Amino acid sequence: MVLYKLEDFDPQYRTTFEDKDIKGLGVYTERNDEKIGTVHDALVDENGHFRYLVVDLGFWIFGKKVLLPIGRTRIDYNNDRVYALGLTKEQAEDLPEFNEGLAGDYDYEERVRGVYRKPDYRTTPLETSGSVESPTPVDSREVATTSTTRTTPTYTRDTYRYEHEPELFGLNEQDHQTLKLYQERLIANKHRRKVGEVAVGKHVETETARVSVPVEREHVVIERVTPENAGRTVSSREADFHEGEVARMEIHEEIPEVRKEAFVREEVRVKKVVEQDTVETQDTVRREELDVNAPNLPIEER
């Protein structure tokens, strides 16, 4: 069951209550008029029905807050008070401590409701003669007995309804005159969910690279030419024949040398951006209106 803080459910709730604010009212015992605490907040269900008052016991137990079912209260706006019916100051101290994160948690509410179901916390005596007592959890094996046998209905977290226990959650005309009309409204919440994951890595690819390198090679050219005085007779002194005479010339060529070097080609930056969008949804809501049946009678609404 989902519970909402009063102001979260209806930011204009003070207008509904004729500018009367239930927050800040002192909470007193009905029997001896002893102050228990102060109304810190109120919790309503998804239909706007009041279910609990959050009572701050801080003035005598520092920081502790407890839940008081709305059916166990009587609101007196004339004296700025809320009376806790059937509850003593000592009993309030023993109630489970309220934590906002537990609002609407079934198991936590069962602990709270279980305390208020005890005979010492009841506002009316247990009925007999075949009457039905307030429901107890399905896993409970206890059967309440009096002079006559009473049946004890069972329920689960899926079948429990606040209407099952009017003694805890019922609103009556006398005690709750300003808590009458209810209206449903759409409550829009949102939550984050993971839709996927992007992994950015790297791998190595191999390819064949080609580079052109101009090189030089030397080779020997032998030219035979006929001199201008070819055929001229020379003397024996000029004709100097030497066997084994050799002319030498070195020949060179260039050989390409190729090596590899690494360099930064580009940088990759990975980031994410948030896109804003508006999603519209709709549902049917209910609202209570007054039906006035007074034929031929003067009626004035204020």
Side-chain angles (χ1 to χ4, degrees), residues 247-288:
R248 300 180 183 276
M249 179 176 294
E250 292 182 350
I251 300 176
H252 301 85
E253 71 174 356
E254 294 179 336
I255 300 175
E257 295 180 357
V258 180
R259 62 185 178 87
K260 295 183 288 185
E261 65 179 5
F263 64 95
V264 177
R265 186 178 80 245
E266 63 178 337
E267 291 183 353
V268 177
R269 299 177 182 176
V270 180
K271 63 180 181 179
K272 60 181 180 180
V273 297
V274 178
E275 296 181 353
Q276 299 290 339
D277 195 7
T278 301
V279 179
E280 292 188 358
T281 183
Q282 64 181 21
D283 201 350
T284 302
V285 297
R286 297 174 296 174
R287 182 178 63 188
E288 294 181 343

Side-chain angles (χ1 to χ4, degrees), residues 62-78:
F62 181 74
K64 182 175 182 179
K65 299 180 179 65
V66 297
L67 290 184
L68 178 61
I70 195 66
R72 292 294 185 89
T73 66
R74 177 168 62 84
I75 301 175
D76 184 356
Y77 278 111
N78 294 328

